[in-house]
Structures are given as C-alpha cells and as structure tokens.
Amino acid sequence: MDRMKPNISMAVIRRLPKYYRYLNELMEKGITRISSKEFGRILGFTASQIRQDLNCFGGFGQQGYGYNVRELRDEIANILGINKTKNAIIVGAGNLGQAIANYSGFRGSGFVLKAMFDINPRLVGISIRDIKIMDIDDMGEFIKNSGVNAGIICTPKEGAQSVADRLTGEGIKAIWNFAPTDLEVPEDVIVENVHLSESLMVLAYMMNERDRMENTQ
Ligand code: NAI
C-alpha cells in the first residue's frame, strides 16, 4: 500500500533513516513494541515530533499500545523504497570510490553496486570486493546492458560535470554526488549531494560556540 501523501517535507524524509536504524536495533534486542514517548527518548526527539512525522504517512501507532516495531520498520523501509533493489555504478575509482565500494552497508539501502569506472588505465581491471573497475569508455554499453539506476560520482570536481552529463546522457536519473561541486542536470534527474566537509564545518561551529560560551562564563 502506498501511504505516502504528496508534499512531505524533506526534513521528515531525512529523519526516516534514523527511525529505521533505531527500529532495527530495537528488533535486534527483541523489543516488539514501543511508545512514541520511549522512542522519542531514545532518538532525542519529542514524542509529538515522532507522532507528527509518522502521521504524515497515515500514522502507524495505536492509542495505548504504541508502535509495533517490526511493522513500523517495514513501513519505513517501504516509504524509503529501500526494499526495492537498485543497481548503481561508481565513477571515479580512487580513494573515495574504493572506500565506498568497500562499504558493506550498501545493500541495506537497497543498492547493489554493479561496477566502477575510471579513466586511469592503471586502475582498470582491478577488482574491489568483486566489483570490477572498468574503462570509462565502456560505461555507456554497460549501462545499456546492466539495468543501472544510479551513478555515484567520486571524481575530482573538475571532471564531475562531464561525468554527470555522460551518466544522464545514458539515461541515468539518479546521482549520488561526492564531488564538491553543484551539478547541472536535466529536471527529471535527482541529485543527492554528500559533503563530509560541510558536516565537519558544522562540528567546528559547535565547538567554537561551546568555547565562546565557556569563555563568557
Ligand atoms: P582520487 O584522486 O583518489 O580519485 C579520483 C579518481 O577519479 C581517480 O582514480 C581518477 O583517475 C578518476 N577520474 C578523474 N576524472 C575522471 C573522469 N572524468 N571519469 C572517470 N574517472 C575519473 O580522489 P578521492 O580522494 O577519491 O576524491 C574523489 C572526489 O571525492 C573528489 O572530488 C573529492 O573532493 C571528493 N571527496 C568528497 C568527500 C565528501 O564528503 N563528499 C570526501 C572525500 C572526497
């Protein structure tokens, strides 16, 4: 059943993976149900925020019972679409590309890594966790034959736009972009940017604020 209502805010969507992760942990501990108050306490959210978030999708809890952990976990997986398999390729098989290929949690998000591509002939032919690094010139053919749904860009920023153009030109409609640049893509292409340095700057800010508060006390 598709419970998703239109116009759910991205802020809510971005909290769902955290719900999912904690629900998995609760299941591993054998906990079968949880109140919104207790769930909120674990997550650091208020009970009303949890109820509000989950109500966006039709609400899963029952008054006086709370949430069935497995049911809620499965519903969130369904909403996120992580129970559907998606094929991905990495472009740029350097330090980061190889680290991502080595990341074992890939499948938990519904993605299966099919291949990596690079321009460096010294990398072509090497395998990382059984994932072959192939020549970038073979990418178009591979995409056509292997049902690729998403591209992961791990090239230096100078090459990222041309890689994005190549991916979208081959019909790829979803890009996970690690290169520190804003990509220009056709309207129907989804880009999710990941920038560790931005998160690190937020950490720097919070450390700075803490120091500032301590010094004014
Ligand atoms: P790297 O130099 O180790 O690897 C880059 C790879 O891309 C090389 O193997 C190179 O041959 C390949 N490449 C270059 N142009 C290409 C093209 N047009 N098509 C295919 N392959 C191409 O660099 P590293 O450390 O792996 O970083 C890769 C990118 O990721 C950089 O843009 C870096 O700034 C970014 N980065 C982003 C992070 C984030 O949090 N978003 C964290 C770390 C790195």
Side-chain angles (χ1 to χ4, degrees), residues 52-65:
Q52 241 177 41
D53 280 359
L54 301 177
N55 277 344
C56 293
F57 306 100
F60 304 110
Q62 280 170 35
Q63 196 90 42
Y65 176 87

Side-chain angles (χ1 to χ4, degrees), residues 85-166:
T85 302
K86 295 162 279 285
N87 294 330
I89 54 171
I90 291 177
V91 188
N95 290 311
L96 182 65
Q98 293 191 24
I100 291 175
N102 269 310
Y103 169 55
S104 59
F106 232 89
R107 240 172 216 277
S109 310
F111 286 90
V112 177
L113 190 57
K114 287 288 183 186
M116 303 172 79
F117 293 90
D118 206 287
I119 48 169
N120 183 345
R122 274 183 296 178
L123 290 174
V124 172
I126 295 173
S127 289
I128 309 290
R129 272 191 173 232
D130 293 339
I131 308 297
K132 230 179 172 175
I133 303 176
M134 299 169 70
D135 191 302
I136 188 80
D137 288 335
D138 296 331
M139 190 173 78
E141 193 66 16
F142 187 89
I143 290 173
K144 271 191 203 88
N145 296 332
S146 305
V148 177
N149 312 104
I152 304 171
I153 299 184
C154 297
T155 64
K157 78 172 181 190
E158 294 73 26
Q161 183 61 54
S162 75
V163 168
D165 293 344
R166 257 173 119 154

